[in-house]
Amino acid sequence: MTQLNRRDLLKISSATFLTALTPRFALADTATGVPLHGLSAFGELKYAKDFKNFDYANPDAPKGGTFAFSPPNWLYNQSPQTFNTLNTYSAKGDAPPRMEICYDTLMESALDEPDSIYGLVAESVTAAADRNTFIFNLRHEARFHDGSPLTAHDVVFSLQSIKEKGHPELLLLLTQMKEVVAENDHTLRITFTGQHSDRAILDIASAMPILSKAWFSDREFDASTLEAPLGSGPYRVGRMAPGKGIEYERVEDYWAKNLPVQRGLNHFDTIKIELYRDRQPEFEAFKKGDIFWRMEHTAKTWITEYDFPAIEQKRVIKREFPDEKRPQLQAWAVNQRREHFRDPKVREAIALCFDFTWTRKNLFYGMYEQSQSLFEMSDFRASGKPSPQELAIMEPLRDRLPEGIFGEAVIQATSDGSGRDRKNLRRAVELLQAAGFKRDNNRFVDSAGKSLDLEMLIQAEVFTRAYSPFINNLQAIGVNASLRLVDPAQYQLRVQDFDFDIIGVAVMLSATPTRESLEAMFGSRSASAPGSYNLPGIADPVIDALIQKVSEAHSRDDLVTVMRVLDRLLRIRRDWIPNWYSANHLVAYWDIFGFKEPKPDYGFPVETLWWFDEAKAKAIGKG
């Protein structure tokens, strides 16, 4: 299953409640005309201007040691299985996970707040009264790894280059950026079109990397290359073996190490990432102590295989950590660029063939819960009938919404747990027939006699066990269904080009989604952008209207209401078919680390938060 971590055309009649000219309210309580040390979408900042470090950081932790692991999540064009480029901000090639730790941003997100950011390269930010313009005052001490100054000109180059040639996940966030100007070496001005969401600045300031204009003066910005672009972050690329692994070395003289947003973080001298084509070899490497930390994603392994000697000797710790308080989307994306999957009845029929009850009992050892929402683990999950506040948004769109959305929120069909529930499969057949398909020699065909084919694309053998019963049920009702296992490079290319019928995806969304980040996954504009996360190809003007409404929320309660309406619509459309989720991280690690508890609520970058404990390591023979 693809894992991604972690981000206007309104074809609505003028008679509806929503237009592009509606006033914006987000950030309304943010002072304008004065330099600020941080920004937040709603409410006050947790940390005052003179804060020393984040509460979850530990300035007293020792520096040193190696953190060897196989990352559980990744961004942009990164792959956990291989790599052939070190340019992670282009859509070309496969980059190794964690390349982003080599690059600084204007501001840094706080992991114990849902949407607050604080100055990193930018010492302060000043918002204009209309909140269309933001002035950033950059720190004079900011440096790239070669010692050259990091200036506003580098930020201008980076944002302009990403908007033109960057990875879709990033460039889509810059759509409404009208202008970016270096007023001098240390003053940057970003101006928006006026059609942006005010919270767009949070994404841009905290997610956009700052790259060296001088370094790229004789290089292509979007080239696939094994030469690491010059960085300015806490780590730089060290030893590497393309396709096998990479090491990141801590920058001893990192210019920002004593700033409040970096103090007490980034303790390991080396972050070592090992790449494996499948999870079992990774697990075997962990058991041998070649890697020191892993997050388990396979229930069978967690329940039945953590009985090796190091566990029994208590040299390896097995425990659960609570998941982040952020929306989780774990689902199958059904590609509507393929004609056969454009009818919602077809997608509903596909969903009916997955027997979660049987799968949970027989394959998952009772561990996972069935996903109903695309925003599980958050307040954005809709339930029951729409509230009066939700209805106030839905009623003006009634003639454009499916009638069923005004009833109970859609939930996945329950089954008898047999693995082949006849009632559900019979209903699936009826839906396919209603969509215009007919049986021909026990296979569904369309009106032109073309077979209803469905290929589920996977990139690791581990998914065969969980997906095969699903495929078998599809075959049983007459769908020509199959599993297709491809190598990591081919998988990445096919996903980027939308060359698939159905794939599984796991995404953790922002705790405070912006219009721009939602457009990247659900908006019409991203449906045709290669490399975007709008994998089903959703292009619905009503969804676009709801995403626009998200940008106009002036309180978290308003945001929750709009997101629940969006959830209802996405669930009834079944562009994404939710499957399962876990409320906890299943983690195992060699007992050589120190860390603060509890973990922060909105992020779990262990390689940044934890540190090497020499005494513990010596006690278990790994010092």
Side-chain angles (χ1 to χ4, degrees), residues 538-550:
I538 302 170
D540 184 335
V542 179
I543 289 178
D544 294 339
L546 292 173
I547 291 173
Q548 172 68 20
K549 188 67 175 173
V550 164

Side-chain angles (χ1 to χ4, degrees), residues 239-295:
R239 293 187 298 178
M240 64 172 181
K244 296 182 179 179
I246 188 170
E247 294 183 2
Y248 298 103
E249 299 173 347
R250 185 168 58 85
V251 178
E252 180 63 33
D253 60 350
Y254 173 43
W255 72 271
K257 65 181 179 181
N258 291 319
L259 292 181
V261 294
Q262 295 289 353
R263 189 167 178 262
L265 302 171
N266 307 311
H267 306 291
F268 295 106
D269 281 346
T270 303
I271 295 175
K272 183 179 181 180
I273 292 178
E274 302 282 357
L275 302 178
Y276 298 91
R277 294 298 180 100
D278 216 330
R279 291 178 181 175
Q280 194 59 38
E282 176 201 327
F283 181 53
E284 295 302 322
F286 174 74
K287 288 163 61 176
K288 292 189 298 182
D290 293 339
I291 58 177
F292 308 144
W293 185 99
R294 78 186 303 263
M295 187 176 293

Side-chain angles (χ1 to χ4, degrees), residues 1-20:
M1 183 170 295
T2 300
Q3 292 203 351
L4 314 161
N5 236 14
R6 121 16 93 62
R7 341 176 329 225
D8 293 321
L9 299 178
L10 283 178
K11 300 176 183 175
I12 301 290
S13 74
S14 58
T16 67
F17 70 99
L18 186 61
T19 74

